[in-house]
Amino acid sequence: MQAGTLLTPRLAEEAINSRLTCLPIESLPLTQCVGGTLRENIYAERDQPPFDRVTMDGIAVDSEALRRGLKRFRIQATQGAGSPALKLTHGDNAIEVMTGAILPSGSDCVIPVEQLDVAGGFASLRTAVVTAPYHNVHRRGSDSRQGALLLETGTLLRAPEIAVAASAGMARVRVSSQPAVIVVSTGDELIEPGDPIADFQVRRSNAYAVAATLRKRGFGRIGDDHVPDDENLLRERLALHLTTHEVVVLSGGVSMGRFDLVPKVLMQLGVQQVFHNIAQRPGRPMWFGIGPQGQAVFGLPGNPVSTLVCLIRYVIPAIAEAMGTKRGQPERLALAAPVTFQHALTYFLPVAIEHGDWGRPWAAPRPPNGSGDFLSLAGTDGFVELPPGPNTYPKGFVTSVYRW
Ligand code: AMP
Ligand code: MG
């Protein structure tokens, strides 16, 4: 890809993905896997449920007795969860059973305690009951058979998937290791929150937004650095970061100004430029390259709206791709109001997600006052991606949405 070629966002994304190195695999205890990407297939250890499982507290009987019209059963024994199956010794008997117990042998259905009067060792039916076999029984193997594929490699592990892995007897699972990410702010004007500040300086807010975005998505190995606009210092610090991180996220220093030193210094360090500039607003000067050891290096423009939009549009999906995460359907929403855009660039427009009277979500435009206006992002939910203009996109126009 030649420097200066204006890529579309989709081609930029493809250019990134085709150069990423897959992250290594590690084995972790299940308790540490939430938010991770599974890197092995998981198969059912046993039938699921593994036995005919009682689903109500009540009595287990032979449904044949119900069909004969029997209404009063002698309670022969009690069967709790976690005990081996008892045996019904006579067709007119019942065994008291608890939810989660194995169905006693000789019985084939369960009458819930709410439908019974229990006294003196007998249970009497209060009402007419269902007489079909296996009523209130979760049958062995009805959810899945032993050996069935339960979770595929690439699955994002959330609470339900973690439960499935636990049910398969997995104490540890193989997941993608998290990348070590360094977030580097560049700029002489940037001052840490809490430190004294002059009129001509600004707070180093991007670093906090970038780290928050990564942490919210479960990435925990995040470093932070701030480097002034000094070529030698920048080279020295980036050289170090490249040896210790798989992903480098820079903010600032990628535009056309005299102190926009990032592309030059990265190339001096052997980081191969893949592209510089994307046909988009905001975030046009975004830079991407691959380091000598396959490190992914993202030079995000420093304007705070650009930084956040580019991070979420490109960096987060790239990390997911490097972790081998299977892609879900991209979220799409309809515009709540028409939007006019004059430029031949993809337009990333901040939106608040609102719900209409019928529960339908809408993307309500919240255009910032330029790409430096990050105050207007507070209270928004993300941004939509609109195709290049000039055009007016009507209310109801459906397009991709990316959440903060
Ligand atoms: P640059 O991309 O370096 O030309 O920066 C563009 C604008 O974004 C300038 O007004 C910078 O002061 C501002 N900016 C750069 N980095 C940050 C940061 N980490 N936090 C807040 N603003 C920043
Ligand atoms: Mg700068």
Side-chain angles (χ1 to χ4, degrees), residues 139-218:
R139 293 220 61 194
R140 172 177 178 164
S142 60
D143 296 349
S144 157
R145 287 294 180 188
Q146 180 183 24
L149 178 62
L150 299 179
L151 298 173
E152 257 187 359
T153 186
T155 299
L156 183 65
L157 294 170
R158 305 160 310 160
E161 291 79 17
I162 299 260
V164 169
S167 83
M170 308 292 291
R172 307 175 72 90
V173 290
R174 288 155 67 80
V175 291
S176 284
S177 44
Q178 289 200 351
V181 185
I182 180 78
V183 180
V184 184
S185 310
T186 68
D188 290 350
E189 74 280 30
L190 304 177
I191 301 294
E192 202 57 31
D195 288 353
I197 192 161
D199 285 352
F200 50 85
Q201 296 174 319
V202 297
R203 295 290 181 198
R204 198 173 69 95
S205 58
N206 282 351
Y208 291 86
V210 171
T213 304
L214 293 165
R215 286 195 197 287
K216 185 188 169 205
R217 285 159 176 80

Side-chain angles (χ1 to χ4, degrees), residues 116-148:
L116 300 170
D117 288 315
V118 180
F122 285 85
S124 312
L125 305 188
R126 255 189 228 162
T127 51
V129 299
V130 177
T131 59
Y134 300 106
H135 193 63
N136 296 323
V137 176
H138 188 184
R139 293 220 61 194
R140 172 177 178 164
S142 60
D143 296 349
S144 157
R145 287 294 180 188
Q146 180 183 24

Side-chain angles (χ1 to χ4, degrees), residues 9-33:
R10 194 176 59 78
L11 287 176
E13 193 175 19
E14 278 175 28
I16 295 169
N17 287 348
S18 64
R19 285 165 177 87
L20 293 172
T21 310
C22 205
L23 287 158
I25 294 174
E26 61 187 350
S27 163
L28 286 183
L30 261 192
T31 48
Q32 291 173 31
C33 289

